[in-house]
Amino acid sequence: MVIRTVLGDIHPRELGVCDAHDHLFLRSERLPGRELDDAAAARAELEAFRAAGGAAVVQWTPHGMGRRPADLAALSRATGVHLVCATGLHQAPHVSPELLAGLRGRLAEVFVTELTEGIGTTGVRAGLIKVAGGFHTLDAHARWTMAAAAEAQHSTGAPIAVHLELGTGALDVLDLLCGELGVPGDRVILGHLNRFPDPVTQRQAAASGCWLAFDGPSRAHHATDWRTPAGVRALAEAGFGDRLLLGGDTVTAGARSVDGGPGMPYLLRRLRPRLAAELGTELVARILTEHPGRAFSADWA
């Protein structure tokens, strides 16, 4: 089992302290003028994260949203931070209609190629598949992308990371991916559960064997910081402490620490000690190191 980074495969023990969900580059049709596309700022953010004790970042930016894989490789070399790049496809409004039309009938093939051969001509291989649900529902686009993700997962062994819109729809996603499409539960990572802090849903999701990602901890307009410690403690006490991941999910330039926002270092500077007070330092250390090493590693085919 190895983790596929932008510079090649590494053993999970090499990963170190990991931000399990973030973005260095991001371009969305829904966020015009708010792109993450500054390589110098991305490098400064990685350096700030490394100075705070970080060693790895998993970038969930999927196909068609400005991933810049060659720049990711250069940034990893320059900063010494391990980076994992995604393939996959977000909700339809995030990408152009022309791109969607060009992917019809070959989506799973694109995912597999980017995971096993590389993204375009860069030689950089993706290390996970990112897809997305809707708000309390799975529309036809979500079902199409998830079916393609499941097909690619069966072919490669790659993990599937799922954007849950405002944290909703977790059980519907698991019914589709793990129930209908046969993806093993431990190959599924559910993102944004902290935005819909329903403890019953979270326990039911964890019982599938999937990973629960608490990400975007600095967003004051979501129920995040003040509920995350109690939520993860409840999951740990219910026996699911080994299914947890933490991430920052920086999606706009203004959210970067180098641009005046909390950014990637917030995860380690503020959230880590707060969680340690609730869970103990040993479990928090495992959530930041051992758990990402297991969640994002694969026996690649």
Side-chain angles (χ1 to χ4, degrees):
M1 300 285 282
V2 295
I3 296 168
R4 185 147 288 171
T5 79
V6 297
L7 297 182
D9 295 347
I10 64 172
H11 192 279
R13 287 195 299 270
E14 299 176 62
L15 193 65
V17 173
C18 181
D19 177 344
H21 178 183
D22 227 310
H23 302 273
L24 290 164
F25 299 111
L26 179 71
R27 179 179 293 273
S28 168
E29 297 284 313
R30 295 183 66 178
L31 298 170
R34 301 175 69 187
E35 296 83 2
L36 290 175
D37 58 5
D38 186 333
R43 176 170 177 168
E45 191 71 4
L46 281 178
E47 290 172 342
F49 179 65
R50 186 169 179 81
V57 175
V58 182
Q59 171 164 280
W60 285 31
T61 307
H63 184 84
M65 293 185 67
R67 292 170 290 180
R68 296 175 63 166
D71 285 323
L72 289 177
L75 286 169
S76 184
R77 291 189 190 97
T79 63
V81 177
H82 296 299
L83 298 177
V84 180
C85 183
T87 186
L89 195 65
H90 211 318
Q91 298 160 337
H94 283 286
V95 295
S96 69
E98 294 78 15
L99 182 142
L100 289 178
L103 293 172
R104 292 292 173 185
R106 65 184 193 97
L107 190 59
E109 177 187 348
V110 169
F111 294 168
V112 171
T113 297
E114 293 194 338
L115 290 161
T116 60
E117 298 178 22
I119 299 171
T121 60
T122 66
V124 171
R125 293 183 295 181
L128 72 150
I129 308 165
K130 154 67 173 292
V131 290
F135 183 58
H136 286 289
T137 187
L138 294 178
D139 60 12
H141 175 86
R143 291 181 175 275
W144 170 55
T145 58
M146 290 186 191
E151 183 178 342
Q153 195 284 322
H154 292 313
S155 296
T156 65
I160 300 174
V162 185
H163 165 97
L164 299 178
E165 186 67 21
L166 295 179
T168 67
L171 301 182
D172 289 333
V173 167
L174 293 172
D175 285 346
L176 176 59
L177 283 177
C178 303
E180 296 180 34
L181 299 172
V183 176
D186 67 352
R187 296 289 76 198
V188 177
I189 301 150
L190 299 178
H192 306 317
L193 283 169
N194 47 315
R195 300 184 192 177
F196 188 71
D198 175 3
V200 175
T201 295
Q202 290 175 2
R203 288 196 301 271
Q204 290 176 326
S208 73
C210 74
W211 295 93
L212 309 181
F214 289 75
D215 40 39
S218 60
R219 297 186 177 194
H221 61 295
H222 293 312
T224 55
D225 289 9
W226 60 96
R227 290 187 176 180
T228 291
V232 296
R233 184 184 69 241
L235 284 165
E237 290 174 348
F240 300 119
D242 63 341
R243 312 310 305 162
L244 305 174
L245 297 168
L246 296 170
D249 192 27
T250 306
V251 295
T252 62
R256 283 180 165 150
S257 66
V258 296
D259 291 315
M264 293 179 181
Y266 183 91
L267 181 69
L268 305 179
R269 184 173 60 87
R270 292 299 184 198
L271 188 60
R272 177 169 56 182
R274 186 166 180 181
L275 288 177
E278 293 277 347
L279 304 174
T281 57
E282 182 181 350
L283 178 55
V284 174
R286 291 204 308 271
I287 292 171
L288 288 168
T289 56
E290 177 189 325
H291 292 190
R294 289 162 45 205
F296 295 104
S297 63
D299 185 10
W300 293 94

